[in-house]
Amino acid sequence: MRNSIIAAALALSLAPVAAAAQTAPDQDADRAADRLDRTIDRALSDRRVGRDPASFLERKKPTWTIEFSTPLAFNSNIGNESTGAKSSSYVDPTFKLTGRWEVDGMSITAEAGTDTQVFSSNSSYDNATVYGRFAVAKKDNKVSGQFLPYAEYRVLSIYDGIYDQHSITLHQFSAWVRTTFNLGGSDRDKLRLNLAAARREASLAAAEQWRYTASATYLNGSGLSISAQFRFADFSGGTNAGRIDKNLQLGIGYDVELDPELTLTLGTTFERNWSNRANRDYTTWDLGPAVSLTRSF
């Protein structure tokens, strides 16, 4: 039954790219953290701003938001392997609770969430993630070209199987600056740019690293998004000391608002990783539809 449900995922989506598998814990850490990065980046892009219905923009900004999403996706390389890639369809139910406040011109965000990836084949790659994050940023006044400094702390625990066995815990400290440009004199077509630096500590030294990221996202205000991200990772601990990874991610997606609280996301993501370590180069595609239910209060 599970296989038939997952096989129905024929559309495209911006579902997370890389799957955390039961391989080396440092690889698990990379995949789970990357998946969470993409989830948070999508939330920060605030793609619903500037879209109808107008009532969404007019009502008071809520303090708390609960979101549940259910991607049904296909990944071409679930183990991020250089050779012998294994592909699989999978489901990735995700739940998160987010609180947002504005204090003295600053935006404060606190968030907690969990997700599980269940594969239709190669079930040994099934995994679960529990995370929390706290972030502080300069308030976004929706001014074109305004630079917004941002700081964040994130803790992430990864489990093999569906919460079967704890694999690794990450602590990541990030600082970055982002800005948004209105294109063509419109406040609907936007280009968002982001530069970030992060330090990752981990319960396994081989996963510790410095990460530097540059990204750009085009949003046309009616649901279309096109994104590109380049990341440089300098590993600093354990058996990975001296390892350098360069990672490129390209994505395209489209949001369909089925209801003010229900969104269907269609799209696809491509990822390419280069490394100075043997067997760490890989390429993967991820595609499939995702439905998200959001309730604010």
Side-chain angles (χ1 to χ4, degrees), residues 182-209:
N182 297 333
L183 304 178
S186 170
D187 61 356
R188 293 174 59 85
D189 290 354
K190 300 177 182 294
L191 177 65
R192 299 187 185 276
L193 304 178
N194 184 79
L195 291 174
R199 172 61 186 174
R200 176 197 288 175
E201 301 289 339
S203 59
L204 180 72
E208 295 180 349
Q209 62 180 250

Side-chain angles (χ1 to χ4, degrees), residues 30 172-175 196-201 207-213 231-237 243-245:
D30 288 342
Q172 186 160 298
F173 304 85
S174 305
R199 172 61 186 174
R200 176 197 288 175
E201 301 289 339
E208 295 180 349
Q209 62 180 250
W210 290 94
R211 295 157 62 90
Y212 307 95
T213 305
R231 186 181 67 246
F232 180 93
D234 182 0
F235 291 77
S236 58
R243 173 182 162 189
I244 300 292
D245 277 20

Side-chain angles (χ1 to χ4, degrees), residues 257-297:
E257 191 174 82
L258 306 176
D259 180 85
E261 295 181 341
L262 189 65
T263 303
L264 171 66
T265 300
L266 309 171
T268 186
T269 308
F270 168 81
E271 181 176 359
R272 173 64 179 169
N273 193 79
W274 298 270
S275 178
N276 64 352
R277 290 295 175 90
N279 301 319
R280 297 299 194 182
D281 293 350
Y282 65 84
T283 300
T284 183
W285 286 90
D286 199 277
L287 52 140
V291 176
S292 300
L293 175 65
T294 304
R295 177 65 59 87
S296 299
F297 56 95

Side-chain angles (χ1 to χ4, degrees), residues 74-97:
F74 173 84
N75 188 278
S76 66
N77 186 0
I78 61 177
N80 289 355
E81 304 292 346
S82 296
T83 59
K86 302 180 182 68
S87 62
S88 179
S89 300
Y90 68 94
V91 294
D92 185 18
T94 301
F95 174 84
K96 66 179 180 179
L97 172 66

Side-chain angles (χ1 to χ4, degrees), residues 122-144:
N122 298 298
S123 61
S124 62
Y125 287 84
D126 292 354
N127 68 94
T129 302
V130 177
Y131 78 92
R133 74 181 186 102
F134 179 80
V136 179
K138 182 179 178 182
K139 180 181 176 182
D140 187 351
N141 294 317
K142 311 301 181 183
V143 177
S144 181

